[in-house]
Amino acid sequence: QAEIVAIPPHQGERPHFFLILFRDRTAELRIERMRTDFVANASHELRTPLASLTGFIETLQGPARNDAAARDRFLRIMREQAARMSRLIDDLLSLSRIEMKRHMPVATSADLVAVLNKVRSQLTPLAAELGVTIDFSPPAEAFVVAGDEDELIQVFSNLVENACKYGESGKRVEMELSRNRERGERVIDASVRDFGPGIPAEHVPRLTERFYRVDVGSSRAKHGTGLGLSIVRNILLRHRSRLLVVSRIGEGSVFTARFPDPGQESA
Ligand code: ADP
């Protein structure tokens, strides 16, 4: 969309010409649109469990007042709805914190071997509940990147949690570290692989959008908020890292975070 700015001559002057400026507002409007969509989506996501909570409260005050069995069942559902709101608020806060410091360079370094070891210990109980094992053979050498350890733990927890939840049927999740080259530059790749159903190709480019889900029902059932990969993307941006996704239907998915290898100067 172009904006037309017409500058008329000064008063009393004979009109000789008009200066017409075109300013491209497409990018500006797109960002504005994304912001309003985000607020609308976030409100909608919060409103759904809230409506359900209100409904159950009314039922408990009215028809189910003296029904002990119904009360227990309703209270259990209400707890689950409250937990869902709480997860959503936690993720919204994480996302806003990370977006705020997205352009601040990271001043610390982190060893991805330690990061992945911690993620494996943290998520082993969840994986065990789902009947999934998390494999990681820590390499002998260090894989140090310019990074914030807590943020990187959040990245790989999200990826491993998704791999366990959505790739549950594959029974196994693998984490791997390797050094590679991309256009002559040395890079460090940290990947999370699952052997689940895979993701249809048309969804892959949109996975890191806020609230984007391949299957809303399954995300909800698995306690998803639709914000996990968007948090991952924003943390990785700050680490000058990219997320690469390769997925094959029926075979599984590999999510790889590709970092610049700071070791390259000395190599
Ligand atoms: P959610 O909170 O819903 O898990 P994410 O942003 O983490 O949100 O992921 C977005 C969507 O991408 C998920 O809802 C799911 O449909 C899909 N997805 C993510 N990881 C995988 C995976 N390893 N295998 C299959 N689908 C996945």
Side-chain angles (χ1 to χ4, degrees), residues 6-187:
I7 302 182
H10 290 298
Q11 255 188 347
E13 274 180 17
R14 269 179 0 107
H16 292 304
F17 60 86
F18 287 98
L19 179 62
I20 298 172
L21 298 175
F22 290 96
R23 191 154 60 97
D24 185 4
R25 296 188 63 217
T26 320
E28 235 172 89
L29 289 169
R30 194 171 51 84
I31 291 170
E32 184 54 33
R33 175 75 203 274
M34 274 168 57
R35 198 176 295 131
T36 44
D37 281 357
F38 176 58
V39 173
N41 283 334
S43 312
H44 175 75
E45 294 284 338
L46 283 167
R47 205 190 285 277
T48 315
L50 193 58
S52 142
L53 275 176
T54 314
F56 281 115
I57 291 170
E58 282 165 6
T59 315
L60 284 172
Q61 283 176 325
R65 191 177 217 117
N66 300 313
D67 182 342
R71 196 179 53 222
D72 285 351
R73 194 158 48 85
F74 291 168
L75 284 172
R76 224 180 15 254
I77 304 173
M78 288 167 74
R79 249 178 100 148
E80 172 47 38
Q81 298 298 338
R84 180 171 153 202
M85 292 182 78
S86 160
R87 279 194 301 272
L88 196 61
I89 291 168
D90 285 347
D91 277 1
L92 284 168
L93 287 175
S94 281
L95 190 60
S96 111
R97 235 189 349 258
I98 289 150
E99 285 196 330
M100 251 174 339
K101 47 182 193 179
R102 188 160 99 175
H103 300 293
M104 283 162 59
V106 247
T108 49
S109 52
D111 183 0
L112 291 174
V113 178
V115 168
L116 296 190
N117 269 324
K118 286 183 185 170
V119 168
R120 182 176 49 172
S121 320
Q122 270 176 21
L123 288 177
T124 296
L126 170 84
E129 251 174 60
L130 297 167
V132 173
T133 54
I134 304 174
D135 293 336
F136 176 51
S137 314
E141 81 266 40
F143 277 79
V144 177
V145 295
D148 177 303
E149 186 174 280
D150 289 338
E151 289 187 11
L152 292 175
I153 288 177
Q154 200 175 357
V155 164
F156 292 101
S157 305
N158 278 334
L159 295 178
V160 173
E161 195 179 320
N162 279 349
C164 291
K165 289 191 310 193
Y166 301 109
E168 186 186 352
S169 55
K171 300 284 171 220
R172 196 158 58 87
V173 168
E174 273 175 18
M175 297 193 286
E176 198 183 54
L177 287 169
S178 61
R179 289 197 154 84
N180 293 301
R181 275 184 187 278
E182 183 184 74
R183 284 188 235 103
E185 301 283 318
R186 281 173 49 159
V187 293

Side-chain angles (χ1 to χ4, degrees), residues 91 158-159 162-167 194 197-199 207-209 212-215 218-220 223-230 247 253 255:
D91 277 1
N158 278 334
L159 295 178
N162 279 349
C164 291
K165 289 191 310 193
Y166 301 109
D194 69 65
I199 305 164
L207 289 179
T208 62
E209 284 176 25
Y212 190 83
R213 285 121 155 172
V214 175
D215 174 350
S218 117
S219 160
R220 293 244 165 89
H223 295 170
T225 59
L227 293 174
L229 290 177
S230 164
S247 191
S253 312
F255 285 76

